[in-house]
Amino acid sequence: MYSYNEFDEAFVRERVAQFSQQVARRIDGSLTEDEFKPLRLMNGLYLQLHAYMLRVAIPYGTLNPNQMRQLAHIAETWDKGYGHFTTRQNIQFNWPLLKDVPAMLSALADVGMHAIQTSGNCVRNVTSDHFAGAAADEIEDPRPYAELLRQWSTDHPEFSFLPRKFKIAITGAPNDRAVTKAHDIGLRMVRGPKGQPGFEVLVGGGLGRTPMIGQVVREFLPIEDLLPYTEAILSVYNLLGRRDNKYKARIKITVHETGLDEIRRLVEERFAEIRPTFHGHDQDLLEDIRAAFAPPAFRNAPTDAHDAALADPVYRAWADTNLAAHRNAQYAIVTISLKKHGETPGDATADQMRLMADLAERYGHGELRISHEQNVILPHVHKADLPAVHAALRGAGLGTANIGLISDMIACPGMDYCALATARSIPVAQDIATRFDELKLEHDVGPLKIKISGCINACGHHHVGHIGILGLDRAGVENYQITLGGDGTETAVIGERAGPGFAYDEIVPAIERLVQAYLKNREAPEETFLEAYRRLGLGPFKAALYPAEGKQDAA
Amino acid sequence: MSRKFTPKVVTANDLLIGDVVYLTADNRWTREHHEAELIEDEAHAQLRLLDGAAQKNVVVGVYLADAIAGPDGPEPIHFREVFRTRGPSNYAMGKQVGELPGPRQH
Ligand code: HEM
Ligand code: SF4
């Protein structure tokens, strides 16, 4: 794993010192809120519905056990004992006091973490495949490139005041677990004509009020051109991006209004200009970073313990859903579900964080990942250790076998915390999970992604949910609109709106009717919800959602 | 024709702790919605909003929220304001259990 060098360390410490002064001056009244707000946002500090909120970056989702323990310590010391892991590989603390935030940032700096660029119109936390460095299908670990981008973009003088926030996602595998097509820039590692690795570059994806799928601006970008080419895209966007209208300021609108071909021409032109100014220092740096991400020393041992444990149906169910193929056949990737039925998706208590840190240390070569789906991953666990890991997880309420199933939902904080929300998300997610747990249908239904956002900003990725739920305010009451058929993977599609929204107490029954319609209409148990939807279209699902209308039509 | 004015309360977040607060008739900030001043007149509401907003080192994000007279004092109308009087619905935290933001007291 990458660890900070002296320069990084000094930079982050200095930021903490500056911010401590700024907080002090806000408290003694020498800074007004108008002066202070941009400063606090530059340090990840928001004011939400009931309290301040601190957003901490987890670069490309990678954590070591000490960092995880420090998050637990922060949650306990300055918050209410838990943290919320988000779809952008951040963690949010929902209850800090203004005076405590400098101490929290200082505690983060102690373990090489910070909250810089977690807000504002700059390049945000670069996100990545949560199975990076472990997945069997991977071409190369994308994290060294993500780290290179992070270092290059942090406090980049030209890109600190972009027209709007800017999000980059990167994957090293053909199976896209990083939703690269819904980012301002998506980087997908591919092999070039001579078999050499490089990137397919997508631009102009994004969710929010105008959801769009990214388009390919460059089919093959050699690795050594990564920084100059990214810089070229950003400088074209910095110039063309709409600063007159916040809602049209994202690069997706620039690409849409300017046309992909013209964008490509401008980017290539700018790239040709700046390419010679990169003298190879970035490549030297990349070499150092790569070394820091060297794979762990994998162990060679029998895997019988795992094979024997499969006889236990509880273990078996967990192994079926929560394990993924590791590049080393003796190993597995373990996804720890933060979606126990009825709990808040993405939340972990301080004790749970500590347990996960201990397991990573003891059985996981010291690595943890946070997924955009709000779960925690132990990327390298030897199969011999899986039964012990499973038992420990169960003891801490972390053994839920539901990865990829209905209850493995993404839910943004919604109106339980977020000042921008128009409706709640979390209790809807809790109720859906609880209902399907009662029905005992979850494993029978199989892979199904439900994603819910509490407003059009789409932090919960509802547009790319197989079933998406968007909470709205309809004349002073909560209302939920359903989209169907969305997909956030390499075959990304924006979901279709199904029809009128549902009231708060109608939404869970509506989801149940949808799922029943799928079970009734699927060709075979192997046909997933998404496949069935693609085959059948909106028709049967719409009929299930709005049965009364169907009757009227028939009459 | 002017529309009928919906009564208001002045609300904000406390600067130091972030907690939701309301302006009382005697110029205090209270955590309890029912202790707020229920403002029935539009011009007075604008004045009280200015009074609240002037307290820049005590509160942030001052605004007027619709309210209605209840048996024990003003009650919120919109669901967002209802949630602000009690705290999140996924945990018993915040106002609903009489807690302030900041760490839990064990
Ligand atoms: C609670 C504080 C939050 C605030 C104030 C906030 C604010 C926003 C805003 C204003 C947008 C729309 C930006 C645009 O499209 O131009 C947005 C989008 C987004 N936010 Fe948040 N958000 C919050 C929490 C979160 C959380 C918790 C997550 C992760 C769970 C998240 C992830 C995202 C994502 C993925 C988008 C979609 C952006 C896109 O692709 O266009 N945000 N957020
Ligand atoms: S989607 Fe809306 S409600 Fe949900 S976190 Fe984002 S801004 Fe808040």
Side-chain angles (χ1 to χ4, degrees), chain A residues 225-469:
Chain A
D225 291 342
L226 180 61
L227 286 193
Y229 196 81
T230 309
E231 182 153 324
I233 296 177
L234 271 154
S235 66
V236 167
Y237 166 61
N238 206 9
L239 212 61
L240 293 186
R242 298 264 307 254
R243 290 172 195 268
D244 59 324
N245 182 341
K246 184 178 160 181
Y247 302 114
K248 296 192 170 176
R250 298 289 293 269
I251 194 175
K252 61 192 171 190
I253 307 291
T254 315
V255 172
H256 184 72
E257 289 184 348
T258 315
L260 181 66
D261 291 339
E262 179 62 4
I263 292 287
R264 183 181 291 123
R265 191 186 68 74
L266 292 167
V267 168
E268 292 291 339
E269 196 176 276
R270 179 76 185 136
F271 174 62
E273 264 168 38
I274 61 179
R275 183 69 194 91
T277 64
F278 283 74
H279 298 293
H281 179 64
D282 57 329
Q283 295 307 296
D284 297 340
L285 183 61
L286 181 61
E287 273 319 304
D288 293 347
I289 296 173
R290 270 212 191 93
F293 285 99
F298 292 121
R299 189 169 110 223
N300 190 5
T303 60
D304 313 344
H306 166 65
D307 302 332
L310 288 172
D312 167 12
V314 175
Y315 180 83
R316 171 101 216 186
W318 177 79
D320 282 348
T321 51
N322 296 36
L323 301 183
H326 194 280
R327 61 173 54 157
N328 179 326
Q330 283 188 10
Y331 274 72
I333 302 172
V334 175
T335 300
I336 302 171
S337 172
L338 297 185
K339 315 286 179 65
K340 186 174 176 191
H341 300 101
E343 303 271 327
T344 303
D347 278 8
T349 64
D351 286 342
Q352 289 177 329
M353 288 187 225
R354 267 186 221 110
L355 177 92
M356 293 187 281
D358 292 348
L359 291 177
E361 202 156 68
R362 185 140 177 226
Y363 303 112
H365 295 280
E367 282 200 41
L368 295 139
R369 306 286 168 73
I370 309 304
S371 77
H372 79 270
E373 292 176 310
Q374 305 181 285
N375 293 312
V376 177
I377 284 99
L378 300 174
H380 315 290
V381 182
H382 195 281
K383 286 182 178 164
D385 297 327
L386 288 170
V389 168
H390 179 243
L393 289 173
R394 279 188 77 190
L398 292 169
T400 312
N402 65 345
I403 298 305
L405 305 182
I406 286 182
S407 58
D408 184 14
M409 260 171 285
I410 293 180
C412 82
M415 207 182 274
D416 285 307
Y417 298 92
C418 180
L420 302 177
T422 47
R424 286 172 300 170
S425 306
I426 293 168
V428 174
Q430 290 174 309
D431 290 351
I432 293 173
T434 304
R435 178 66 187 143
F436 280 92
D437 195 35
E438 284 162 11
L439 293 173
K440 297 291 167 224
L441 271 179
E442 188 162 30
H443 287 263
D444 188 21
V445 170
L448 172 52
K449 291 188 190 293
I450 304 185
K451 306 184 195 236
I452 171 163
S453 307
C455 80
I456 56 166
N457 288 326
C459 303
H461 288 192
H462 65 276
H463 297 111
V464 292
H466 303 167
I467 298 176
I469 305 175

Side-chain angles (χ1 to χ4, degrees), chain A residues 17-342:
Chain A
Q18 275 171 4
F19 189 57
S20 306
Q21 291 298 316
Q22 290 157 355
V23 169
R25 283 188 285 144
R26 178 68 186 104
I27 291 175
D28 75 18
S30 42
L31 282 179
T32 65
E33 188 60 18
D34 286 349
E35 289 163 337
F36 180 64
K37 189 175 173 187
L39 302 172
R40 71 164 153 81
L41 289 175
M42 282 169 75
N43 291 284
L45 184 62
Y46 290 72
L47 184 56
Q48 290 298 329
L49 216 53
H50 314 292
Y52 287 95
M53 180 271 277
L54 182 68
R55 180 184 288 163
V56 176
I58 300 171
Y60 32 87
T62 297
L63 280 178
N64 66 35
N66 279 340
Q67 291 172 324
M68 185 65 117
R69 284 192 193 104
Q70 192 75 329
L71 295 177
H73 171 70
I74 289 171
E76 242 168 28
T77 313
W78 296 290
D79 206 279
K80 294 196 187 294
Y82 71 102
H84 180 69
F85 291 102
T86 79
T87 49
R88 301 221 67 259
Q89 295 179 322
N90 295 313
I91 182 169
Q92 297 186 167
F93 294 106
N94 285 315
W95 302 95
L97 301 176
L98 180 57
K99 70 172 174 56
D100 290 338
V101 176
M104 296 168 86
L105 293 177
S106 179
L108 288 168
D110 291 344
V111 292
M113 295 182 75
H114 61 73
I116 296 167
Q117 292 186 197
T118 58
S119 176
N121 295 336
C122 51
V123 177
R124 299 287 188 89
N125 187 24
V126 175
T127 52
S128 184
D129 182 355
H130 42 266
F131 291 171
D137 62 352
E138 184 174 84
I139 297 172
E140 234 190 76
D141 187 343
R143 291 174 304 156
Y145 308 104
E147 175 59 28
L148 184 69
L149 286 164
R150 178 173 83 103
Q151 295 192 16
W152 159 83
S153 64
T154 301
D155 258 16
H156 193 301
E158 195 181 337
F159 306 134
S160 295
F161 296 96
L162 292 164
R164 199 74 176 84
K165 59 174 155 178
F166 203 89
K167 300 176 180 175
I168 304 177
I170 178 165
T171 169
N175 290 321
D176 184 0
R177 289 172 287 260
V179 209
T180 58
K181 291 192 174 182
H183 283 75
D184 296 297
I185 294 180
L187 296 163
R188 307 179 57 208
M189 189 158 266
V190 290
R191 290 200 186 277
K194 298 189 201 96
Q196 78 281 32
F199 298 101
E200 178 188 72
V201 184
L202 295 130
V203 68
L207 302 174
R209 75 169 60 208
T210 320
M212 289 188 192
I213 298 296
Q215 302 181 63
V216 178
V217 62
R218 179 68 108 82
E219 273 168 22
F220 185 77
L221 183 75
I223 279 173
E224 55 280 12
D225 291 342
L226 180 61
L227 286 193
Y229 196 81
T230 309
E231 182 153 324
I233 296 177
L234 271 154
S235 66
V236 167
Y237 166 61
N238 206 9
L239 212 61
L240 293 186
R242 298 264 307 254
R243 290 172 195 268
D244 59 324
N245 182 341
K246 184 178 160 181
Y247 302 114
K248 296 192 170 176
R250 298 289 293 269
I251 194 175
K252 61 192 171 190
I253 307 291
T254 315
V255 172
H256 184 72
E257 289 184 348
T258 315
L260 181 66
D261 291 339
E262 179 62 4
I263 292 287
R264 183 181 291 123
R265 191 186 68 74
L266 292 167
V267 168
E268 292 291 339
E269 196 176 276
R270 179 76 185 136
F271 174 62
E273 264 168 38
I274 61 179
R275 183 69 194 91
T277 64
F278 283 74
H279 298 293
H281 179 64
D282 57 329
Q283 295 307 296
D284 297 340
L285 183 61
L286 181 61
E287 273 319 304
D288 293 347
I289 296 173
R290 270 212 191 93
F293 285 99
F298 292 121
R299 189 169 110 223
N300 190 5
T303 60
D304 313 344
H306 166 65
D307 302 332
L310 288 172
D312 167 12
V314 175
Y315 180 83
R316 171 101 216 186
W318 177 79
D320 282 348
T321 51
N322 296 36
L323 301 183
H326 194 280
R327 61 173 54 157
N328 179 326
Q330 283 188 10
Y331 274 72
I333 302 172
V334 175
T335 300
I336 302 171
S337 172
L338 297 185
K339 315 286 179 65
K340 186 174 176 191
H341 300 101

Side-chain angles (χ1 to χ4, degrees), chain A residues 534-551:
Chain A
R534 285 180 173 163
R535 177 172 59 83
L536 296 162
L538 208 51
F541 298 101
K542 204 167 169 158
L545 281 175
Y546 307 102
E549 280 176 30
K551 263 183 230 139

Side-chain angles (χ1 to χ4, degrees), chain A residues 26 33 47 49-50 52 77 79-80 95 97-98 344 347 415-417 419 422 424 426-427 473 476-478, chain B residues 13 15-20 56-57 60 78-80 83-84 87-91 93 99-104:
Chain A
R26 178 68 186 104
E33 188 60 18
L47 184 56
L49 216 53
H50 314 292
Y52 287 95
T77 313
D79 206 279
K80 294 196 187 294
W95 302 95
L97 301 176
L98 180 57
T344 303
D347 278 8
M415 207 182 274
D416 285 307
Y417 298 92
T422 47
R424 286 172 300 170
I426 293 168
D473 176 345
V477 288
E478 288 167 298
Chain B
N13 287 78
L15 167 71
L16 295 180
I17 58 177
D19 201 23
V20 174
K56 288 183 172 37
N57 290 327
V60 293
H78 192 276
F79 63 89
R80 181 177 193 272
F83 298 151
R84 287 178 81 241
S89 45
N90 59 330
Y91 299 119
M93 285 179 185
E99 255 180 9
L100 290 169
R104 289 214 117 160

